[in-house]
Amino acid sequence: MEVLSLRALRDNIAAGRTTSVEAVRMVLERIGRIDTMVGAYISVFEEQALARAAEIDGRIAAGLPVGALAGAPVAVKDNMCTAFGATTCASRILKNFQAPYDATVVGRLSAADAVIVGKTNMDEFAMGSSTENSGLRRTVNPWDTGRVPGGSSGGSAAAVAAGLCAAALGSDTGGSIRQPAAFCGVVGLKPTYGRVSRYGLVAYGSSLDQIGPLTRTVEDAALLMNVIAGHDPSDSTSVCESMAPVSDYLADLDRPVEGLRIGVVSSLNAGADPAVVKALDEALAVYRPLGAELIEVELPHFDYAIAAYYVIATAEASSNLARYDGVHYGHRSKQAEDYVAVYSKSRAEALGQEVKRRIMLGTYALSSGYYDAYYLKALKVRNLIRTDLVSAFERCDCIIMPVAPTTAFNIGEKTDDPLQMYLSDIYTISANLAGIPGISIPCGFDGRGMPIGMQILSPAFSEDRLLRIARMYERQTQWHQRRPDMG
Ligand code: GLN
């Protein structure tokens, strides 16, 4: 059976052309056959998924109403709490952690009758750009198993690319939805901060984290946004709909944006691979005949984004991760002889190297004497970056730039050099610092057959237009239809 888009699959199930059980079985069969190689999943809920699918099919057969996802199989990154199965964040410290409740997005997926087939692999606590920091397993890129899938939502991106689910959720603190989407040739949307509830998302950098869809098409991203976006009283940072109404993201999706003004920042392309720059130029050329005007804009503080991000994100992480102490959650050291040792030994034994590095960096940046020099300074830079973007958007509707300087790199290529790994986030982190939405869509392949992504950024709470702009391109091109050959 062909791997369909989420939209096509749910239409087929709802119309009785196939069933949810059949769709879930197919995905489970593929997982059984392919995922030993890809490594996209940390856990798979076979029995539970089939039971849920049968229940949804029963409702359809009885002519009862079903939700917008009509029994389609969906995967969730393993940093979102589910009341069933484990929620590990790919960390040994949470290896057996059972959350007592569903994250709001998980509840919303279930209410829309998605079947959650499993939880996907990630960099430990979402810290990384390649999924190589997972404490539990390795995920490879379905296009070339010698390369990384990107990160930190590498499991979700690989699962979508390899047809191991119809769509997935990821989280994006500094690019973790968009970059793996680009590396795996799928669509990834980071919504505006506050658009999607973070309740039940294990916090990394709370002022930056945002949940969003990883899908095969722009239409599927719109469909998932219809399900997950909206105010949540359980998340005080989720934005009230009276302040920023949630659109029906599918309603106008195929209506092109008239008089579209695309901002380009030529100076930024210097650091990217020639293949990435070429694909981007060609993508811009697709927009021109559609009536788009290209406008050169400047982002003067762009170069400081990485430095600011890695101070702010690690500062927030050092505070958020203090709760993993061997007392409240997960792994507890057997070697500890007193309670201080419970903290230190449990953390020393079960947290990975990158997580420890960031806790130390963040604690340092927040310590008295250094707070003003690092954390406060980084917040000021963050504000300048936000202001740059706001003034750029006075002259254009969106900004188009690369997602990452390169396509998917080799496994192990950057693991010994964390700074090199951090630098690969250059194009994605500004959107998180500014809180604005960004989407990554497939726009070509490099000479080695690896997918290239194009990033489109737009003003806060303009996801409806952002999706329409992405859709304008998708309708003219076939890149999103290519699939890796996985049998
Ligand atoms: N690569 C970035 C980091 O390591 C972003 C991660 C993310 O978005 N979760 O922090």
Side-chain angles (χ1 to χ4, degrees):
M1 199 166 121
E2 196 198 344
V3 177
L4 296 173
S5 71
L6 177 64
R7 176 81 191 258
L9 189 58
R10 74 105 203 238
D11 285 352
N12 284 350
I13 300 172
R17 289 188 288 271
T18 184
T19 62
S20 173
V21 166
E22 207 172 313
V24 170
R25 275 222 180 97
M26 189 198 87
V27 155
L28 291 172
E29 181 276 325
R30 282 182 76 84
I31 293 173
R33 192 155 45 84
I34 299 171
D35 205 40
T36 39
M37 178 173 52
V38 178
Y41 284 93
I42 288 179
S43 47
V44 177
F45 310 126
E46 196 165 330
E47 245 170 66
Q48 179 170 351
L50 283 169
R52 175 94 170 107
E55 186 261 315
I56 294 166
D57 284 341
R59 258 190 285 144
I60 295 172
L64 296 168
V66 278
L69 301 180
V74 170
V76 173
K77 185 175 179 179
D78 208 16
N79 59 352
M80 296 171 213
C81 290
T82 44
F84 47 89
T87 298
T88 68
C89 284
S91 180
R92 281 178 292 130
I93 210 155
L94 287 180
K95 200 168 164 200
N96 302 311
F97 173 64
Q98 306 264 338
Y101 63 94
D102 278 336
T104 296
V105 288
V106 171
R108 282 179 176 248
L109 283 179
S110 299
D113 285 326
V115 173
I116 295 168
V117 283
K119 310 276 294 277
T120 54
N121 197 19
M122 54 186 282
D123 286 298
E124 183 175 7
F125 287 107
M127 297 175 185
S129 313
S130 66
T131 310
E132 290 167 293
N133 293 336
S134 170
L136 301 183
R137 77 177 301 189
R138 167 187 281 198
T139 305
V140 300
N141 192 308
W143 292 89
D144 176 347
T145 55
R147 291 176 187 272
V148 301
S152 65
S153 310
S156 286
V160 173
L164 306 177
C165 58
L169 292 185
S171 68
D172 191 311
T173 305
S176 281
I177 291 175
R178 290 160 287 158
Q179 186 254 27
F183 280 16
C184 291
V186 300
V187 173
L189 170 68
K190 181 203 93 74
T192 308
Y193 184 77
R195 180 79 301 173
V196 175
S197 168
R198 293 184 298 113
Y199 181 71
L201 170 70
V202 177
Y204 159 20
S206 316
S207 76
L208 304 155
D209 301 338
Q210 186 61 193
I211 294 171
L214 286 128
T215 55
R216 296 204 180 88
T217 64
V218 172
E219 192 180 40
D220 285 358
L223 174 57
L224 268 189
M225 279 299 284
N226 276 355
V227 171
I228 62 173
H231 179 243
D232 175 10
S234 306
D235 172 4
S236 61
T237 61
S238 89
V239 170
C240 282
E241 280 158 48
S242 57
M243 281 173 69
V246 174
S247 320
D248 175 348
Y249 299 103
L250 280 173
D252 273 339
L253 188 64
D254 281 315
R255 189 161 61 82
V257 176
E258 262 175 64
L260 175 65
R261 295 163 307 159
I262 299 176
V264 285
V265 197
S266 304
S267 58
L268 294 189
N269 293 351
D273 261 13
V276 172
V277 176
K278 182 163 169 280
L280 212 70
D281 286 344
E282 287 169 3
L284 290 172
V286 170
Y287 278 105
R288 272 200 210 94
L290 304 176
E293 185 192 347
L294 302 191
I295 296 171
E296 188 65 42
V297 293
E298 314 245 311
L299 298 175
H301 300 94
F302 192 87
D303 287 349
Y304 303 103
I306 290 200
Y309 170 84
Y310 277 96
V311 171
I312 294 168
T314 57
E316 293 184 14
S318 73
S319 158
N320 278 325
L321 270 63
R323 72 192 69 171
Y324 307 109
D325 53 10
V327 178
H328 296 86
Y329 295 96
H331 174 81
R332 179 177 302 168
S333 173
K334 296 200 170 50
Q335 318 302 326
E337 48 296 316
D338 56 45
Y339 79 91
V340 174
V342 170
Y343 294 179
S344 58
K345 290 195 172 160
S346 302
R347 286 163 76 83
E349 286 167 14
L351 291 176
Q353 203 185 14
E354 182 61 26
V355 173
K356 287 177 186 162
R357 180 181 296 123
R358 293 190 187 203
I359 291 172
M360 287 192 287
L361 268 172
T363 308
Y364 183 79
L366 287 178
S367 54
S368 71
Y370 295 107
Y371 181 94
D372 290 357
Y374 295 109
Y375 184 66
L376 210 57
K377 188 70 143 244
L379 290 184
K380 289 178 182 167
V381 174
R382 178 179 195 170
N383 204 32
L384 292 172
I385 288 168
R386 189 189 289 128
T387 314
D388 284 353
L389 281 160
V390 169
S391 37
F393 287 134
E394 283 168 8
R395 300 180 50 224
C396 58
D397 303 298
C398 68
I399 296 174
I400 290 187
M401 64 170 76
V403 180
T406 65
T407 54
F409 41 87
N410 287 323
I411 290 171
E413 194 177 319
K414 301 192 187 207
T415 36
D416 294 336
D417 190 347
L419 276 183
Q420 274 306 315
M421 194 74 96
Y422 298 173
L423 287 175
S424 66
D425 300 331
I426 175 79
Y427 295 112
T428 47
I429 46 186
S430 289
N432 302 76
L433 291 169
I436 61 167
I439 193 168
S440 166
I441 56 174
C443 75
F445 289 82
D446 71 4
R448 292 179 307 252
M450 297 309 288
I452 301 173
M454 145 165 78
Q455 181 175 219
I456 317 174
L457 303 173
S458 72
F461 300 107
S462 67
E463 281 84 353
D464 49 346
R465 280 168 74 83
L466 180 62
L467 287 159
R468 280 166 62 202
I469 297 167
R471 180 73 182 132
M472 284 167 74
Y473 176 82
E474 194 184 61
R475 281 166 63 118
Q476 305 294 323
T477 55
Q478 271 85 46
W479 306 117
H480 62 286
Q481 287 164 6
R482 294 220 202 153
R483 293 287 136 238
D485 184 13
M486 306 241 68

